[in-house]
């Protein structure tokens, strides 16, 4: 599991690659820490290379969303595959995130 | 400037640090009390009269004052409210907080003749009581008076514009313009009363709706943003969501269910009674769908919207809405995008094998 964070003007892009399962969650949570304090930014969670997301991964996404709301930032989940999109529906989180 | 006025100005210089301390205390006490009483206002502000302004006042009517303590508006605080009713509520609050010098306080709202309109504001001359501040080495904190002005946003707008016009023109304003300005005060007084009346009626309506919801008379309540919010306070989907959470012993994340209001309307709900019947009719099938979807996963976190979401999915399918209906649902929840059709397709296929599709 690899997380890459890049900055592009007002955007912060966190690109995830691999399987975001329980084992990978601890390192991923550490990797996304720079997003915690982002003020008035557009945070893009780019999931083009993300193959799988577990509950632990969902919790990381929820944590990012909560921090962003506190700091006036907005979170957009982008390029998720069909399986992960289905996870968002099954868990009811589809109405919580802006998914593109 | 005469000697007497100069003495008052020297007093001002000497007491300025004390006045500044008083200002801090007054602002803190007011803000804390407003918060405690749940009173939302447009603004709380204060100002200390500048030395130049005091000089001007003394030049005009200096012989009226024996000492600085005779001038009651050296420190002025102002609260601007949204509603005219709130002026009276905050006045009552100020009466509890401060010692009011009634002799010098004035309710300008009541000074107008029946057929005249103009400046409306409540001015209280106050002192800090010892119950709020008791500093034996600084008794002046309880002796010094300050002015508290209370007015609505519209009264403030009129007063500010009237002040601006009066001071900027530098010439005497012809009566015709004064009449025009004053008749605007009358219109704003009417608008203030209307805003208060509307607020009261909305609050009455909310209370009636809450009562109907509590009494279960849901068919009498039209479905709209306010009524749906009141209905959700009774947590009508919680039992279903908890059952769904139990499938995987999942944690439930609280989210707003308000995005489902337009969907329920599209599904033909006009009253809260319709929503309640929709829930009763489809909750078992909604649970079956969730068990089918989540039972084969280890997902142990769900949102509190999953119950109502599945009810909507099942209702759409049971009413023959098919993939197009599901796509519309996802468009409403997630914004229109090309993937919603694919999601609708997956959900439709998953549901195909479930009993409710074959009723």
């Amino acid at each position: 599991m690899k997380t890459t964070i890049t900055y592009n003007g007002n955007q912060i892009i966190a690109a995830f690659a691999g399987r975001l399962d329980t084992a990978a969650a601890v390192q991923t949570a550490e990797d996304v820490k720079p997003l915690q304090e982002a003020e008035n930014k557009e945070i893009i969670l780019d999931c083009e290379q993300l193959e799988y997301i577990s509950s632990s991964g969902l919790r990381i996404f929820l944590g990012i969303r909560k921090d962003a709301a506190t700091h006036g930032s907005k979170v957009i989940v982008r390029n998720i595959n069909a399986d992960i999109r289905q996870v968002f529906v099954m868990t009811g989180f589809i109405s919580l995130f802006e998914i593109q | 400037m005469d000697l007497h006025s100069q003495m008052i100005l020297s007093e001002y210089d000497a007491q300025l640090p004390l006045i500044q301390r008083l200002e801090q205390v007054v602002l803190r006490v007011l803000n804390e009390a407003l918060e405690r009483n749940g009173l939302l206002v447009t603004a709380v502000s204060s100002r200390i009269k500048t030395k130049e302004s005091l000089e001007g006042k003394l030049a005009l009517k200096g012989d009226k004052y024996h000492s600085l303590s005779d001038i009651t508006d050296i420190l002025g605080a102002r609260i601007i409210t949204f509603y005219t009713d709130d002026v009276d509520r905050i006045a009552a609050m100020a009466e509890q907080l401060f010692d009011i010098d009634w002799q010098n306080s004035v309710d300008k709202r009541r000074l107008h003749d029946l057929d005249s309109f103009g400046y409306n504001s409540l001015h209280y001359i106050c002192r800090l009581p010892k119950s709020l501040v008791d500093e034996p080495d600084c008794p002046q904190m309880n002796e010094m008076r300050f002015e508290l002005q209370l007015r609505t946003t519209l009264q403030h707008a009129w007063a500010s514009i009237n002040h601006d016009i009066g001071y900027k023109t530098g010439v005497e304003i012809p009566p015709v313009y004064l009449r025009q300005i004053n008749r605007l005060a009358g219109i704003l007084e009417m608008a203030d009363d209307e805003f208060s009346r509307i607020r009261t009626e909305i609050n009455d309506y909310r209370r009636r709706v809450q009562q109907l919801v509590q009494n279960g008379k849901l068919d009498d309540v039209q479905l709209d943003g306010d009524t749906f919010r009141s209905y959700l306070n009774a947590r009508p989907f919680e039992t279903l969501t908890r059952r769904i959470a139990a499938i995987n012993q999942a944690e439930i994340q609280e989210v707003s269910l308000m995005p489902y209001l337009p969907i329920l309307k599209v599904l033909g709900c006009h009253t809260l009674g319709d929503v309640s019947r929709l829930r009763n009719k489809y909750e078992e099938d909604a649970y079956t769908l969730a068990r089918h979807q989540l039972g084969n996963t280890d997902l142990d976190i769900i949102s509190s919207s999953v119950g109502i979401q599945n009810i909507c999915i099942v209702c759409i399918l049971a009413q023959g809405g098919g993939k197009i209906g599901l796509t519309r649902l996802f468009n409403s929840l997630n914004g229109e995008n090309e993937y919603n059709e694919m999601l609708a397709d997956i959900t439709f296929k998953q549901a195909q094998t479930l009993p409710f599709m074959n009723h």
Side-chain angles (χ1 to χ4, degrees), chain A residues 52-55 58-59 62 79 82 85-100, chain B residues 251 253 255 293-294 298-303 305-306 309 330 333-334 337 339 342-343 346-347 350:
Chain A
Y52 168 83
I53 192 166
S54 70
S55 301
L58 281 176
R59 286 190 176 89
L62 288 167
N79 301 322
R85 202 170 282 268
Q86 183 60 13
V87 166
F88 275 88
V89 173
M90 287 191 298
T91 52
F93 288 120
I94 190 137
S95 59
L96 194 62
F97 286 94
E98 184 174 335
I99 300 173
Q100 294 180 348
Chain B
E251 166 194 350
Q253 282 279 318
V255 301
Q293 289 179 324
L294 291 167
D298 58 358
L299 290 166
D300 63 0
I301 182 166
I302 61 168
S303 96
S305 67
V306 75
Q309 175 194 280
F330 294 131
L333 290 176
N334 189 26
N337 70 65
Y339 301 102
M342 179 185 75
L343 266 185
I346 295 169
T347 308
Q350 283 177 334

Side-chain angles (χ1 to χ4, degrees), chain B residues 73-90:
Chain B
D73 67 344
I74 293 290
L75 170 61
R78 182 180 288 153
I79 300 178
I80 300 168
T81 70
F82 290 107
Y83 300 99
T84 185
D85 302 345
D86 289 344
V87 170
D88 292 322
R89 283 185 69 190
I90 294 169

Side-chain angles (χ1 to χ4, degrees), chain A residues 58-73:
Chain A
L58 281 176
R59 286 190 176 89
I60 291 172
F61 277 27
L62 288 167
I64 292 170
R65 186 187 170 279
K66 192 176 168 191
D67 288 334
T70 313
H71 293 97
S73 293

Side-chain angles (χ1 to χ4, degrees), chain B residues 169-204:
Chain B
T169 51
V171 293
E172 196 174 337
I173 303 171
V176 62
Y177 296 124
L178 286 176
R179 176 174 163 73
Q180 287 172 8
I181 292 167
N182 285 339
R183 73 185 186 191
L184 276 173
I187 287 174
L188 294 180
E189 192 177 315
M190 278 173 64
D192 258 339
D193 285 350
E194 275 299 283
F195 279 131
S196 278
R197 185 189 61 77
I198 292 166
R199 177 174 73 160
T200 304
E201 286 196 5
I202 289 172
N203 285 337
D204 286 348

